[in-house]
Amino acid sequence: MGTYARFPVTLVKGNGCWVKDDTGKRYLDAVAGIATCTLGHSNSALRRALSQQLRKLQHVSNLYQIPEQEELAHWLTANSCASSVFFCNSGAEANEAAIKLARKHGHTRRGITQPVILTAMSSFHGRTLAAVTATGQPKYHQGFEPVVQGFDYFPYNDLQAFEALLESHEAKGPAVAAVLIEPLQGEGGVNPGDPAFFKRVRELCTERNILLILDEVQVGMGRSGRLWGYQQLGIEPDAFTLAKGLGGGHAIGALLVQEKADVFTPGDHASTFGGNPFACRAGLTIARELERRDLLKNVNDRGNELRTGLVRLIKAYPHLLKDARGWGLLQGLVLQDNANVTAAQLAAKALDHNLLVVAAGPSVLRMVPPLVINSREIRTLLTRLDTTLANG
Ligand SMILES: *Cc1c(COP(=O)(O)O)cnc(C)c1O
């Protein structure tokens, strides 16, 4: 269907941070399947683990015990503030599970009949009806009304506005089930969360037994330089969602919850494919390689090199660029308000210079390379970006 405005490029082969198209042209990949290919393309550890898993068992459904799923859940809970995990297949689905969890929490733990979930403006939570309603960007709602009931929006990182919205809903008693926020807004323009804002939101949620749910679909699994984005903010959520980087390019999503927020009982939620042996083997391999190769250190070191280079580009192209922001290997280059080019146009232009980058909103160019990228590749990325800007 015509749901995508695709670039006129057909990628047919990949290795590490590099991909080749059907004409043999080679690109440095700073998109990584939209922040999913954690270990790059055709990674040998992932290839080996998944080939073995294919020979063993792929899918049996959640009617039965699944050792690979249990092992991945153990790793995730041992390495986070959560104590249990629900597995699904995508970010939107993980957020749908979180929204259902929040509503049940609102009904059963706060006695609310019509629970409301507060989310941020310019957020992105996915494209299913509830996830897209949670997404605080009217352009994603247009044409699909009526949107789902029970959502309201506050400006990101704006404590006064958040408190005012919370008070307006709670004036006559409990009404808010949860606050759902990204630690850093990815699609919405690579906008990092403000630790002071998140700290106060955490306090307000704790005081009222409102769930604080973080959407870690893009920043989770190491991309920020910490395993979880919430570690960048110095807080712990009651629940958080994962997808993109968790499977290293394979479909998997997850909702992780702390014990006190785990209100689901058998029959409340389910997924046919969720947590299958193949997807969980992919997740386990990513987890193992993150540890074995000390990739968090690489994310921080390469992230710093990338940021330093972006700052240099801002100085070289002051008429075009105004800011660089992000965490680790999720970096955004912000265009000037009066730049005569959009981020999407620059991303298209970069193809001519053998570089894959992606827009995050109209005025931010986003770089999310594989977490295994090396220094030389960072330099190549910056050189090709420079050439793109010089010719853009
Ligand atoms: C990509 C993304 C989603 C949606 O994930 P899908 O797998 O496309 O459904 C949700 N939240 C955030 C923060 C994302 O970046």
Side-chain angles (χ1 to χ4, degrees), residues 175-226:
V176 175
V179 179
L180 170 64
I181 335 181
E182 292 158 273
L184 171 154
Q185 291 188 327
E187 305 289 326
V190 191
N191 228 347
D194 171 7
F197 172 79
F198 275 80
K199 182 165 177 283
R200 185 65 189 136
V201 170
R202 174 67 280 181
E203 284 168 3
L204 289 164
C205 286
T206 303
E207 275 168 25
R208 296 178 192 214
N209 195 20
I210 292 170
L211 292 186
L212 176 57
I213 305 174
L214 292 191
D215 179 344
E216 297 249 4
V217 167
Q218 191 156 164
V219 296
M221 284 305 275
R223 182 156 292 282
S224 77
R226 305 293 300 270

Side-chain angles (χ1 to χ4, degrees), residues 23-291:
T23 70
K25 186 172 166 184
R26 201 159 163 262
Y27 304 80
L28 178 62
D29 185 5
V31 175
I34 316 188
T36 63
C37 302
T38 310
L39 304 176
H41 300 280
S42 196
N43 171 261
S44 59
L46 198 54
R47 248 170 29 217
R48 203 173 319 116
L50 292 181
S51 311
Q52 270 172 14
Q53 190 64 51
L54 282 176
R55 281 195 289 268
K56 194 173 159 198
L57 187 67
Q58 293 168 59
H59 176 67
V60 290
S61 92
N62 288 293
L63 292 170
Y64 312 102
Q65 314 281 329
I66 301 173
E68 294 84 357
Q69 183 183 131
E70 288 173 25
E71 205 185 322
L72 181 55
H74 280 137
W75 186 86
L76 290 169
T77 54
N79 288 284
S80 75
C81 62
S83 60
S84 51
V85 188
F86 173 84
F87 288 103
C88 51
N89 313 286
S90 68
E93 252 185 281
N95 287 330
E96 288 279 339
I99 290 163
K100 283 180 70 177
L101 181 93
R103 285 185 168 188
K104 188 165 183 202
H105 168 89
H107 289 297
T108 59
R109 301 279 172 87
R110 294 201 78 209
I112 306 167
T113 48
Q114 299 281 316
V116 173
I117 297 171
L118 303 183
T119 70
M121 292 169 189
S122 66
S123 58
F124 186 81
H125 298 294
R127 302 298 201 117
T128 57
L129 266 178
V132 88
T133 305
T135 295
Q137 300 194 55
K139 70 170 182 192
Y140 288 120
H141 301 170
Q142 269 157 29
F144 305 106
E145 300 90 347
V147 294
V148 175
Q149 289 184 348
F151 290 89
D152 207 352
Y153 313 92
F154 56 88
Y156 193 59
N157 284 340
D158 184 335
L159 195 51
Q160 263 192 339
F162 174 80
E163 289 197 45
L165 185 70
L166 182 63
E167 282 313 319
S168 76
H169 281 283
E170 297 251 309
K172 294 197 206 87
V176 175
V179 179
L180 170 64
I181 335 181
E182 292 158 273
L184 171 154
Q185 291 188 327
E187 305 289 326
V190 191
N191 228 347
D194 171 7
F197 172 79
F198 275 80
K199 182 165 177 283
R200 185 65 189 136
V201 170
R202 174 67 280 181
E203 284 168 3
L204 289 164
C205 286
T206 303
E207 275 168 25
R208 296 178 192 214
N209 195 20
I210 292 170
L211 292 186
L212 176 57
I213 305 174
L214 292 191
D215 179 344
E216 297 249 4
V217 167
Q218 191 156 164
V219 296
M221 284 305 275
R223 182 156 292 282
S224 77
R226 305 293 300 270
L227 199 47
W228 316 118
Y230 66 74
Q231 294 171 299
Q232 298 280 1
L233 297 167
I235 56 139
E236 285 189 350
D238 300 300
F240 63 100
T241 54
L242 296 176
K244 287 193 169 84
L246 179 57
H250 298 277
I252 184 168
L255 166 65
L256 292 86
V257 296
Q258 295 214 31
E259 194 172 353
K260 61 179 185 287
D262 190 355
V263 292
F264 281 161
T265 53
D268 275 345
H269 200 48
S271 165
T272 299
F273 285 125
N276 66 72
F278 184 82
C280 290
R281 178 60 63 201
L284 278 166
T285 309
I286 301 304
R288 189 155 312 133
E289 291 298 294
L290 280 180
E291 287 178 342

